[in-house]
Structure formats: C-alpha cells, structure tokens
C-alpha cells in the first residue's frame, strides 16, 4: 500500500508540474509580469530563494531513499527558519542599535530600505508587537544556532574527521620516526659490539701467534723442539730394526 501511495503521489506531482509547464508555455507570458510583481511584493528579496526551495522540495519527494529524503527536507526547513531568524534579528538589532525601534521604522526598513516583502514585514511586526525584545533575541539566536547546526553539521563533521585523521597520521609518522630511530640506534650498538668483538678476536689471535712464536724461538734456542725429538726417536727405531735384521 505504501508503494502504491508513493506512485500515486508522484504521478499527481508530475501531472501538476507538466500542466504548469504547459500553462506557462501557452499562456504564461500574459501573466508573467503580474506573477513577478506578486512575488516581489509579497516575498521581496526572498522571491528567488522561496521558488528554489519549492522546486527543491518537489524534487526531493522523488528520492527513493527515505533517509536521504528526510535529510534534505529537514535542511530545507531549517534553511527557511535561518532566513526568517536572521532577518528578524538583523532588523530589530539594527534599529535597537540606532535607538529607533518603532513599528513605523520597522515597516520602512523592511519594505523601502531592504525590500523584504509584505510577508516578512508582517512577520517581524507581529513578533515585535506580541513578544518582549529580550525573548525575541534569545529565541532567534537559538534558532540561528540550531539551523546552522542542521545546515552545516555534516560538513563540520567531515572537517572534524579530516583534522582528526590528519592528527592521527602525524602521530603515526612520529611513532614511525621514533621506532626507526630506536632501530637505527640498536643496529648501531650491535655493529659497534660486533666491531669490538672482531677487534678483540684479532688481538687475541695476535697474542696467541706471538706467544707461539716466542715458544718456538725459545725451543729452537734450547734445542727442545718436540718435532726434532720425534724425528730422533723415529731414526733410533729404524736403526734398531736394521740391527735385528742383520
């Protein structure tokens, strides 16, 4: 049933849009000036934003994804609240600063100076006549803050995430550099130990060679080389064998 309702509502909207396009193409040029005059008189400088909001609202109804549709429509809603709150705060705050806060000055400022249209002028005068000024500023500033949050919350979240990722990357690079420095220090320490061990091994080998040479020289001088004794024993054994054979 929900799907059928969506199809029916979209078909009705499409029919209305095409009928409006057909009407504007056929007979719209006759009413073009009066339509623009009506829009400028009632909406003033907000005529183009209002038409854009209406067209976007119609366009967003054709989005199939429910979450995206609600997201974009809430943004449109808070965009309207933002425009109304900013206009209200600007007009009343400016006249309060000039100490000319009266209904006549509000009407002149809205219609003549800034051309905000009849609807916005009526809205500001109604709020001014029915509520206290302090409450108006509190509520309007709160609405501006909330609408800005809904309008730019996603982008702010992206910016915060971007800065957070940049910070994490910097910390990761610092850790990598620290680890590389530690590894290089360890490698340098190992290389120094190995060099020292190699030098000590060479020194020990040289000492052993010198000791052996000294012993050999002493043995040669004293005629006590073990090799000569072995040769003599071999010769004596050979002579004894020859004697026994004879």
């Amino acid at each position: 049933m929900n799907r059928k309702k969506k199809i029916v509502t979209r078909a009705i909207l499409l029919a209305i849009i095409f009928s409006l396009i057909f009407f504007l193409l056929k007979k719209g040029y006759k009413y073009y000036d009066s339509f623009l005059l009506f829009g400028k008189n009632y909406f003033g400088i907000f005529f183009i934003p209002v038409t854009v909001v209406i067209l976007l609202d119609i366009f967003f109804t054709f989005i199939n994804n429910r979450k995206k549709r609600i997201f974009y429509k809430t943004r449109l809603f808070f965009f309207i609240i933002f425009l109304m709150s900013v206009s209200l705060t600007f007009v009343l705050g400016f006249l309060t600063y000039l100490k000319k806060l009266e209904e006549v000055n509000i009407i002149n400022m809205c219609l003549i100076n800034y051309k905000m249209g009849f609807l916005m002028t009526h809205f500001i005068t109604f709020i001014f006549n029915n509520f206290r000024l302090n409450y108006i500023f509190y509520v309007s500033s709160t609405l501006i803050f909330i609408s800005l949050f809904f309008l730019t919350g996603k982008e702010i979240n992206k910016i915060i995430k971007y800065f957070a990722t940049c910070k994490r990357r910097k910390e990761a690079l610092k850790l990598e550099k620290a680890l590389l420095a530690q590894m290089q220090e360890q490698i340098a320490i190992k290389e120094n130990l190995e060099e020292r061990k190699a030098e000590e091994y060479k020194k020990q080998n040289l000492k052993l060679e010198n000791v052996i040479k000294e012993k050999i020289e002493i043995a040669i001088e004293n005629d006590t080389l073990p090799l000569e004794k072995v040769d003599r024993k071999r010769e004596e054994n050979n002579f004894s064998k020859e004697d026994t054979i004879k």
Side-chain angles (χ1 to χ4, degrees), residues 13-151:
L13 284 170
L14 284 170
I16 292 165
I17 290 163
F18 282 120
S19 61
L20 284 170
I21 291 165
F22 180 76
F23 176 76
L24 289 170
L25 289 172
K26 287 288 182 182
K27 295 182 179 180
Y29 63 92
K30 294 179 182 179
Y31 305 99
Y32 180 73
D33 293 331
S34 59
F35 177 72
L36 280 178
L37 187 65
F38 172 80
K40 286 179 180 178
N41 286 331
Y42 279 88
F43 296 104
I45 57 173
F46 302 107
F47 176 62
I48 293 170
V50 166
T51 44
V52 171
V53 166
I54 291 165
L55 291 171
L56 286 173
D57 187 58
I58 293 165
F59 174 73
F60 292 151
T61 53
F62 293 98
I63 294 171
N64 291 320
N65 195 347
R66 187 169 175 272
K67 288 182 180 179
K68 285 184 179 180
R69 188 169 63 250
I70 292 166
F71 173 73
Y72 289 125
K73 286 201 171 189
T74 48
R75 275 196 163 186
L76 281 177
F77 175 71
F78 280 105
F79 176 71
I80 295 163
I81 290 171
F82 177 74
L83 285 178
M84 293 173 72
S85 302
V86 168
S87 302
L88 179 67
T89 308
F90 172 71
V91 172
L92 297 180
F94 187 72
L95 290 173
T96 304
Y97 177 74
L98 295 175
K99 295 179 181 179
K100 294 180 180 180
L101 191 60
E102 294 177 357
E103 189 175 354
V104 178
N105 293 326
I106 291 169
I107 293 166
N108 288 327
M109 186 176 176
C110 291
L111 289 176
I112 297 167
N113 295 333
Y114 292 97
K115 295 178 182 179
M116 293 183 179
F118 293 138
L119 289 175
M120 187 61 73
T121 305
H122 178 70
F123 169 72
I124 293 170
T125 52
F126 176 78
I127 296 292
F128 173 72
N129 291 322
N130 290 290
F131 298 98
R132 290 179 65 180
L133 191 65
N134 293 328
Y135 293 154
I136 292 167
F137 284 127
Y138 290 148
V139 173
S140 61
S141 58
T142 307
L143 288 172
I144 288 166
F145 177 75
I146 292 166
S147 57
L148 279 173
F149 176 76
F150 276 97
L151 289 170

Side-chain angles (χ1 to χ4, degrees), residues 154-236:
K154 194 175 180 181
E155 285 73 18
I156 290 166
N157 192 13
K158 285 181 181 179
I159 292 164
I160 291 165
K161 284 182 180 179
Y162 174 75
F163 282 113
T165 51
C166 288
K167 191 177 180 181
R168 287 173 186 172
R169 285 176 184 174
K170 285 180 181 178
E171 288 176 355
L173 287 169
K174 284 180 181 178
L175 285 170
E176 285 180 359
K177 286 179 180 179
L179 289 169
L180 284 170
Q182 286 180 358
M183 288 174 71
Q184 287 175 357
E185 286 179 359
Q186 289 177 358
I187 289 164
I189 290 163
K190 285 181 181 179
E191 287 178 352
N192 289 324
L193 288 170
E194 287 176 356
E195 286 177 359
R196 286 177 184 175
K197 285 180 180 178
E199 288 177 358
E200 288 177 358
Y201 183 73
K202 285 179 182 178
K203 286 178 182 178
Q204 287 177 359
N205 286 331
L206 287 170
K207 284 180 181 179
L208 286 170
E209 287 177 0
N210 292 324
V211 169
I212 290 163
K213 283 179 182 179
E214 286 176 359
K215 286 182 178 180
I216 289 166
E217 286 176 357
I218 291 164
I220 289 166
E221 287 176 358
N222 296 326
D223 195 17
T224 57
L225 278 171
L227 291 172
E228 289 180 358
K229 289 180 180 180
V230 170
D231 291 333
R232 286 176 184 176
K233 284 181 180 179
R234 284 179 181 175
E235 288 177 357
E236 288 175 357

